[in-house]
Amino acid sequence: MSCRLLSADLGTTSLKVMVLDCGGQVEGSASEPIHTYTDGGNHEQKPSEWWQSFRKACSTLQSKGIGLDVDGVVCTGQMEDFIPFKDGRAETAVLYSDTRGSRGLTKRHLPPDVVTAFTGNDWKATTPLMKWLADECPERWDQVLFGSKDYLIYHLTGSSVCDPVNGTVTGMMDIHTRAWEEKLWEGSGISRRQLPRLLEPEETAGYVLKEAASQTGIPAGTPVYCGLGDGGAVTLAASAHAGDGQGYAYAGTTGWTAVPADTLTVSEEGSVFHLAAPQHGRFIKIMPLLNMGNVHQWAVHTWCGGDFEAFEQLMAEQVSVPGPLLFIPYLNGERNPVIDEKARGAFIGIDGQVTQSQMARAVLEGLAFSLKQTFVQAGIASSTLFLVGGGTKSRAFRQTVADVFQCRVQVSAEQERLASFGAAACAFRAIHTCSWVKAARAVQSVEEKDIIVAPDVSKKEELEQKERLFTEAAGRMRGLFDT
């Protein structure tokens, strides 16, 4: 059952491309940075730069002597993007973190309960993208894509596709039938022909075109599989470590807690989101956080000039915190459990003796408290927390999470590649016609020793008291900055 695959993960901050065999061995990988153009609440990237980065990564692999004559190409990446095309060209990609789409949007043409019945989510959770589609200069586009990986597929094959995982977040897909539902956009001016084809993650999207082959080095005619959005890809790969059906936490630029589910549980305020899982009839329950690694990075730049190791050393200083110093990490608004795009961060409990080290520690504690709130919402109780994402590089963050959760934290030795492994599982399943569990385990080695962090039990009482104060203070941030 051998095969070679090229898997690409186009995230918010970087593009990772790797070639692997189906024994969990990575032959080689290459990474390129991705730039985000921000202006207030505007968060955009340039699709042309995505393609340039992909070409450069392929060239880097070849310069290392790694052949790209693979059995298949599969991609994953950031979800909930709005990528408008006009005459086959895409000038910009509006990211999920962009807040313009929700401004002034207070209702839909369908009652909220009808929207929820179709999408599996609170109607407010799926309206921002609809706002763009219906109101933002529709004459400027004749076709649209919803995920970064779908742009790579378009350039490789000429096909416009979307997977059910990412289709969920558009607010236009019936989560039960995994098909576009016209009633959800009726009267908006959107036509079905403007939307990409919905394909299952393991279905073939197309084949590498001659022009794409000449630009990337991937042979023309190589099959390209649909793949899936990064939320689904990480969940699929994490199941090989945490166990199928177990929840996990993601600490990247943004964050989330996710747990596979057989039923939908719609929250009153939409702070719990559902994705269609790769498996038919199953769902992924997501509790998203807008503030995670981005806040950690802000703290590193604020106190250590961008030097992460210096920040780690600052956190290692043994200092007593005078009183209940707290940090509310809502620097970028928040989606969970406080749903407020205008929310902002705050230090609480500062006195004249507070040091930089104590403030830095409060930042990481605030992130861990925020993450724990999502676990409470998900109803997850476990002696071990499986933690993934770029934030796990930080020893201080890993330990802080273990202390706040008062449980072991397990970090995959290959955690930065989990999304790529999850995408590769789609291609493996297509080629070998096997179960999702077998595919997820086949494309990654689970023999590497994961990092295990034990909690400091002496901090249990102190952190529980802080957590109660954090929960109360965070709740009061809702609506505070509306005026």
Side-chain angles (χ1 to χ4, degrees), residues 278-314:
Q279 306 91 334
H280 276 269
R282 299 202 74 190
F283 311 99
I284 303 170
K285 187 159 62 173
I286 300 278
M287 281 59 65
L289 294 166
L290 290 181
N291 299 279
M292 192 53 60
N294 46 9
V295 177
H296 189 176
Q297 186 177 41
W298 165 79
V300 172
H301 280 275
T302 299
W303 285 291
C304 297
D307 187 334
F308 275 86
E309 188 54 38
F311 187 83
E312 293 289 295
Q313 294 173 8
L314 183 66

Side-chain angles (χ1 to χ4, degrees), residues 51-118:
W51 181 244
Q52 291 171 7
S53 295
F54 182 76
R55 292 175 59 186
K56 188 174 181 179
C58 288
S59 177
T60 299
L61 288 171
Q62 290 174 299
S63 69
K64 295 178 179 179
I66 300 168
L68 303 186
D69 51 336
V70 293
D71 296 292
V73 176
V74 64
C75 304
T76 185
Q78 54 181 288
M79 300 163 52
E80 207 173 341
D81 292 344
F82 173 63
I83 310 169
F85 278 74
K86 184 68 173 181
D87 300 325
R89 293 177 57 86
E91 300 295 333
T92 190
V94 182
L95 304 191
Y96 62 89
S97 53
D98 194 294
T99 60
R100 285 172 291 173
S102 60
R103 294 176 188 168
L105 187 62
T106 59
K107 63 181 180 179
R108 288 178 72 155
H109 65 285
L110 291 176
D113 60 337
V114 175
V115 175
T116 297
F118 278 122

Side-chain angles (χ1 to χ4, degrees), residues 358-386:
Q358 292 162 350
M359 294 179 76
R361 185 176 300 278
V363 169
L364 294 195
E365 287 179 355
L367 293 175
F369 288 141
S370 192
L371 193 62
K372 188 174 180 181
Q373 284 184 312
T374 65
F375 260 67
V376 173
Q377 285 181 301
I380 301 173
S382 176
S383 60
T384 300
L385 165 62
F386 190 69

Side-chain angles (χ1 to χ4, degrees), residues 5-178:
L5 300 171
L6 185 147
S7 182
D9 174 15
L10 180 45
T12 308
T13 58
S14 67
L15 166 71
K16 305 178 188 71
V17 179
M18 69 181 185
V19 174
L20 68 158
D21 64 28
C22 292
Q25 299 301 313
V26 177
E27 296 183 14
S29 63
S31 179
E32 292 293 329
I34 298 296
H35 181 67
T36 299
Y37 298 86
T38 60
D39 180 12
N42 304 4
H43 295 177
E44 299 185 17
Q45 292 181 353
K46 295 186 182 300
S48 59
E49 294 180 1
W50 292 346
W51 181 244
Q52 291 171 7
S53 295
F54 182 76
R55 292 175 59 186
K56 188 174 181 179
C58 288
S59 177
T60 299
L61 288 171
Q62 290 174 299
S63 69
K64 295 178 179 179
I66 300 168
L68 303 186
D69 51 336
V70 293
D71 296 292
V73 176
V74 64
C75 304
T76 185
Q78 54 181 288
M79 300 163 52
E80 207 173 341
D81 292 344
F82 173 63
I83 310 169
F85 278 74
K86 184 68 173 181
D87 300 325
R89 293 177 57 86
E91 300 295 333
T92 190
V94 182
L95 304 191
Y96 62 89
S97 53
D98 194 294
T99 60
R100 285 172 291 173
S102 60
R103 294 176 188 168
L105 187 62
T106 59
K107 63 181 180 179
R108 288 178 72 155
H109 65 285
L110 291 176
D113 60 337
V114 175
V115 175
T116 297
F118 278 122
T119 66
N121 293 296
D122 181 275
W123 75 277
K124 289 176 289 186
T126 55
T127 49
L129 195 54
M130 287 288 290
K131 171 69 174 177
W132 276 105
L133 289 168
D135 297 346
E136 297 294 329
C137 306
E139 72 279 359
R140 295 183 183 176
W141 57 274
D142 51 34
Q143 189 180 4
V144 66
L145 293 176
F146 299 122
S148 60
K149 62 96 176 171
D150 297 323
Y151 181 82
L152 296 181
I153 292 173
Y154 179 83
H155 250 290
L156 286 167
T157 68
S159 299
S160 299
V161 301
C162 181
D163 63 277
V165 179
N166 202 17
T168 310
V169 299
T170 67
M172 294 185 289
M173 188 191 82
D174 185 328
I175 197 171
H176 307 285
T177 64
R178 302 160 78 95

Side-chain angles (χ1 to χ4, degrees), residues 223-242:
V224 179
Y225 300 98
C226 182
L228 70 177
D230 56 6
V234 172
T235 301
L236 188 58
S239 66
H241 292 258

Side-chain angles (χ1 to χ4, degrees), residues 49 94 102 123 174 206-207 275 328 410 444 482:
E49 294 180 1
V94 182
S102 60
W123 75 277
D174 185 328
Y207 300 87
L275 299 176
I328 309 300
Q410 178 182 356
Q444 59 180 317
D482 283 348

